[in-house]
């Protein structure tokens, strides 16, 4: 297979591994699991991305990717929490259903 197919297969394998680890409550790669559970993407963050960068050195691209992933997971969870809060404020079931549909579309477009 070509490079694109290889990357896709690797991502699917990692996503499956993270899901299995999540189901078994094995936390070898917590950030990878969070990315998989939140965004459905299989990526590996099984390295020390949270260590402080020594003064005068630049963070590696891997550390920067991990920081971006952590921010993306946090943002998605914030969006989901805000949507739940908005829905909880609505008592009418029909109005709640309509608002839920609207919020779901908005959140889906923001997560992309």
């Amino acid at each position: 297979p070509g490079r694109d197919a290889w990357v896709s297969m690797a991502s699917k394998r990692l996503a499956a591994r993270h899901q299995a680890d999540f189901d078994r409550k094995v936390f070898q790669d917590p950030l990878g699991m969070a990315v998989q559970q939140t965004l459905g993407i299989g990526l590996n963050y099984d390295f020390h991305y949270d260590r402080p960068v020594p003064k005068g050195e630049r963070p590696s691209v891997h550390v920067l990717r991990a920081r971006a992933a952590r921010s993306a997971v946090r943002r998605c969870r914030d969006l989901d929490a805000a949507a739940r809060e908005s829905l909880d404020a609505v008592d009418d079931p029909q109005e709640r259903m309509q608002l839920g549909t609207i919020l779901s579309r908005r959140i889906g477009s923001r997560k992309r």
Side-chain angles (χ1 to χ4, degrees):
R3 176 170 166 59
D4 291 340
W6 181 86
V7 170
S8 176
M9 290 185 316
S11 178
K12 287 177 184 175
R13 274 196 310 272
L14 276 171
R17 188 184 87 198
H18 289 316
Q19 185 61 51
D21 286 351
F22 179 81
D23 294 341
R24 290 180 295 142
K25 297 184 182 353
V26 174
F27 300 101
Q28 292 179 351
D29 182 5
L31 181 56
M33 288 172 58
V35 168
Q36 188 273 327
Q37 290 293 306
T38 305
L39 303 172
I41 301 170
L43 296 172
N44 184 17
Y45 298 99
D46 191 14
F47 57 91
H48 300 289
Y49 56 84
D50 54 353
R51 284 189 182 159
V53 177
K55 198 170 194 164
E57 289 186 24
R58 290 184 172 185
S60 72
V61 67
H62 302 292
V63 169
L64 295 174
R65 276 184 42 219
R67 288 178 183 176
R70 196 168 42 195
S71 293
V73 167
R74 189 177 305 120
R75 177 68 177 143
C76 286
R77 291 187 178 166
D78 288 348
L79 288 170
D80 289 343
R84 272 193 302 280
E85 191 175 304
S86 294
L87 285 173
D88 288 345
V90 177
D91 292 329
D92 180 26
Q94 191 167 7
E95 188 179 333
R96 186 181 171 111
M97 180 75 78
Q98 290 172 343
L99 180 60
T101 302
I102 292 167
L103 291 173
S104 178
R105 286 185 189 139
R106 282 185 191 164
I107 289 172
S109 67
R110 288 183 182 172
K111 283 184 179 179
R112 291 181 207 152

